Amino acid sequence: MQIDPSIKSRPKYVAPELVASAGLQLFVSESDAGHLLEPLYRQCSESGAQWLVAEPGNAPGTLADSLSGYLQRVLSDAPVTTRLYVAGSEGFLWDIRNQALSAGLVDEQIQLAPPVTKARRLFCTHCYTLMEGVTSSPHTCSGCGRLLLVRDHFARLHGAYVGVQINAEDPEEQLEQEVLQ
Amino acid sequence: MSIDSIPVRVMAIEQVAPLIREFKLEAIEGKLPAFSPGSHVQVIMPGEAREIRNAYSLCSDPAMPRRYSIAVRLQEDSRGGSSFMHGEVNVGDELAITPPANLFAPVMAARKHLLIAGGVGITPFMSYIPELKRQGAEFELHYLYRGSQTGAYLDQLQQQLGSALHRYDSGQGNKCDLSTVLSDQGPGTHVYICGPESLIEGVCSTAKALGWPESLIHYEAFAAPEPGEPFKAQLTRSGKTLDVAADESLLEALEREGIAVPNLCRGGVCGQCATPVIEGAVEHRDEFLSADEKANGGCIMPCVSRAAGKHLTLDI
Ligand code: FES
């Protein structure tokens, strides 16, 4: 199978910049990614800014309940002029972004910092299992055991890259491992 | 390409505010096309010196497309359009309109709709409101008017909307504090403004200063083309040269010569009428072209823009 290396769906990330006029400056990060938002946070007045921190390594596809519930409450009281800055692993960024969208925010209000690791969240297109921290391809699905090619195709809804079985014809075939960039 | 016109008959005329008249229109043959909330039509008027075309929002319920309503404010410095509608049009008369087009549709996915109307700018919202109500959408209307001139449909709106209607009669000294109205809104609120340029500017600049995302701000201005200096337009394709009078737009002059230019808004926002310029400086008055495109000068929006000098050569 030929995979186009310039595949469009892979998100591009740039370092967030503070949007000075905002009714609420909201920062959300995993605990090991705070340094990416720190300089922005320091430019804000205390009254207009809030920071929520999560422990990294949550269950795939679900934010820790406590953070998710708290974010929900913050967003439901937030003004339309809210700006949201997110830092952490790639899956986390998109979980937060998706939760913000369902609270009514639009992408224009949300900035995602470059992910702190190259590890990917992987979505098995055969059994729909989500796996965290995938660093090389192919990868054996923890759900169905198939050997998955990790594609650059990114599903925003899951915050995950798509994995498709690579050795369907000959499950015995050995394949070279490639480190993901 | 010219837009087909639909012949209509004026069924009723009602004075809905001291300076605003509502015209109910029905098809002379067959049915009028269905339309979506926020749509407008152009009315093609046989003016004294030349044909006049003005765009008016449909202000009736889109669920009842059998007849259209438009409301026309008499403009003091009318270029002929509104004074024609107020002075010359009677019940039973025939008019020609273009099929409805929509440059100002509500975003149905919005969490809430914040409608801000100035004067006769209430008209597009008259087609929004029945639809928003049917959808069970959350909305509020802030209506700025001057009771001695405008303020159409107030009783009807008061009855339908109750506390969702906020009225500001500038004649009574009631001011709308835009910054309060715009600050008190939650995520996913879309704001829509229709009214004079000054109101649109005021809302946009206040919203931006507060940090509103631009994608949530929508507005519609139907500014009639401002007059300017007369100039000559030379047309390379047809080999014609035409004189554009001080009080007519380049688009109107082209139409007068039988040269059809696609157009929807006739107010410099939709981009339909873009026409390539070969030579001559342009006084850009539209909101469609970017600053770069304006500086480059290769294109003009003839519905509002004019020659900066005495002549223009157009690739048309
Ligand atoms: S007709 Fe819309 S920009 Fe000219």
Side-chain angles (χ1 to χ4, degrees):
Chain A
M1 190 189 331
Q2 280 293 313
I3 305 280
D4 178 1
S6 65
I7 203 144
K8 297 255 176 24
S9 71
R10 189 164 188 193
K12 291 200 175 52
Y13 301 92
V14 287
E17 280 177 39
L18 193 77
V19 178
S21 52
L24 171 65
Q25 306 278 20
L26 185 57
F27 298 85
V28 182
S29 69
E30 287 182 300
S31 55
D32 58 348
H35 61 280
L36 291 173
L37 303 181
E38 183 87 49
L40 273 59
Y41 184 73
R42 268 195 263 117
Q43 294 171 47
C44 301
S45 74
E46 247 167 60
S47 59
Q50 275 200 53
W51 197 331
L52 316 183
V53 181
E55 288 305 318
N58 296 315
T62 57
L63 285 174
D65 282 351
S66 56
L67 175 74
S68 173
Y70 190 61
L71 181 61
Q72 192 68 43
R73 282 196 297 283
V74 172
L75 289 174
S76 67
D77 286 337
V80 64
T81 51
T82 299
R83 297 285 164 166
L84 173 62
Y85 311 85
V86 193
S89 65
E90 192 169 28
F92 175 84
L93 301 178
W94 290 88
D95 288 346
I96 299 290
R97 175 263 191 184
N98 289 337
Q99 194 182 342
L101 291 195
S102 62
L105 270 68
V106 289
D107 277 318
E108 192 190 337
Q109 290 169 275
I110 306 169
Q111 294 186 59
L112 307 180
V116 282
T117 102
K118 290 206 166 71
R120 300 185 183 188
R121 180 185 287 168
L122 182 62
F123 174 72
C124 174
T125 50
H126 307 283
C127 73
Y128 310 145
T129 296
L130 286 167
M131 290 149 271
E132 290 291 334
V134 175
T135 54
S136 63
S137 175
H139 183 87
T140 304
C141 176
S142 64
C144 64
R146 286 182 176 90
L147 193 59
L148 302 175
L149 174 74
V150 181
R151 297 192 51 189
D152 273 346
H153 183 78
F154 187 77
R156 293 171 182 232
L157 202 65
H158 298 297
Y161 292 87
V162 166
V164 289
Q165 187 173 13
I166 191 170
N167 58 348
E169 268 123 66
D170 176 11
E172 301 302 308
E173 189 187 348
Q174 291 303 307
L175 292 146
E176 223 170 286
Q177 282 278 324
E178 181 199 338
V179 176
L180 293 166
Q181 289 305 308
Chain B
M1 181 199 81
S2 91
I3 305 172
D4 299 334
S5 68
I6 308 170
V8 292
R9 184 177 291 110
V10 178
M11 297 165 63
I13 300 177
E14 195 186 331
Q15 196 80 33
V16 287
L19 290 181
I20 302 175
R21 235 173 234 202
E22 185 199 81
F23 299 82
K24 284 196 169 53
L25 311 173
E26 66 180 349
I28 290 174
E29 247 175 67
K31 279 195 287 187
L32 292 170
F35 66 96
S36 50
S39 297
H40 70 272
V41 296
Q42 291 175 17
V43 178
I44 305 158
M45 294 167 263
E48 234 168 69
R50 57 178 168 265
E51 188 180 278
I52 303 164
R53 285 168 176 249
N54 279 1
Y56 297 108
S57 297
L58 294 177
C59 55
S60 39
D61 184 346
M64 294 191 270
R66 236 165 44 81
R67 59 178 74 145
Y68 294 166
S69 297
I70 56 169
V72 180
R73 183 199 201 278
L74 181 62
Q75 306 289 351
E76 294 90 58
D77 50 358
S78 171
R79 296 167 57 258
S82 75
S83 61
F84 177 85
M85 290 301 289
H86 276 248
E88 314 277 328
V89 176
N90 296 304
V91 174
D93 284 1
E94 287 183 18
L95 288 172
I97 62 172
T98 59
N102 199 339
L103 301 170
F104 192 49
V107 176
M108 280 306 177
R111 289 299 165 99
K112 180 179 172 184
H113 306 265
L114 178 62
L115 316 179
I116 302 181
V120 75
I122 190 65
T123 48
F125 300 134
M126 297 307 288
S127 70
Y128 272 44
I129 288 167
E131 188 59 32
L132 294 178
K133 289 194 90 128
R134 271 192 293 276
Q135 307 264 340
E138 188 184 345
F139 69 96
E140 60 191 54
L141 170 64
H142 294 262
Y143 189 5
L144 293 71
Y145 58 95
R146 182 173 283 272
S148 57
Q149 299 175 347
T150 58
Y153 309 117
L154 270 169
D155 293 342
Q156 178 187 338
L157 289 166
Q158 188 68 66
Q159 231 174 40
Q160 286 178 5
L161 304 190
S163 61
L165 172 67
H166 304 259
R167 36 204 285 188
Y168 312 88
D169 183 349
S170 63
Q172 310 273 337
N174 298 328
K175 252 195 96 200
C176 173
D177 182 358
L178 289 174
S179 128
T180 310
V181 170
L182 291 165
S183 296
D184 271 358
Q185 306 295 339
T189 304
H190 285 243
V191 61
Y192 308 85
I193 315 123
C194 186
E197 207 53 53
S198 56
L199 178 68
I200 294 173
E201 286 237 2
V203 176
C204 288
S205 60
T206 309
K208 279 178 203 157
L210 289 167
W212 274 68
E214 283 187 39
S215 58
L216 305 183
I217 307 172
H218 316 274
Y219 56 85
E220 182 160 74
F222 276 136
E226 298 278 325
E229 293 297 317
F231 62 97
K232 277 197 194 313
Q234 199 181 327
L235 315 179
T236 53
R237 296 205 194 184
S238 57
K240 288 185 182 172
T241 301
L242 41 109
D243 289 298
V244 183
D247 65 344
E248 81 181 326
S249 69
L250 174 55
L251 179 62
E252 287 164 339
L254 289 164
E255 287 170 340
R256 172 163 57 74
E257 279 298 315
I259 294 162
V261 178
N263 62 90
L264 281 181
C265 69
R266 300 179 84 85
V269 293
C270 76
Q272 289 285 318
C273 66
T275 302
V277 176
I278 293 175
E279 211 218 301
V282 178
E283 185 187 329
H284 293 286
R285 296 173 170 186
D286 65 279
E287 293 194 41
F288 180 77
L289 295 173
S290 67
D292 281 353
E293 289 167 323
K294 285 182 182 169
N296 163 291
C299 189
I300 186 171
M301 297 297 169
C303 60
V304 289
S305 299
R306 311 178 65 84
K310 292 259 171 280
H311 102 282
L312 277 181
T313 308
L314 303 175
D315 185 10
I316 189 172

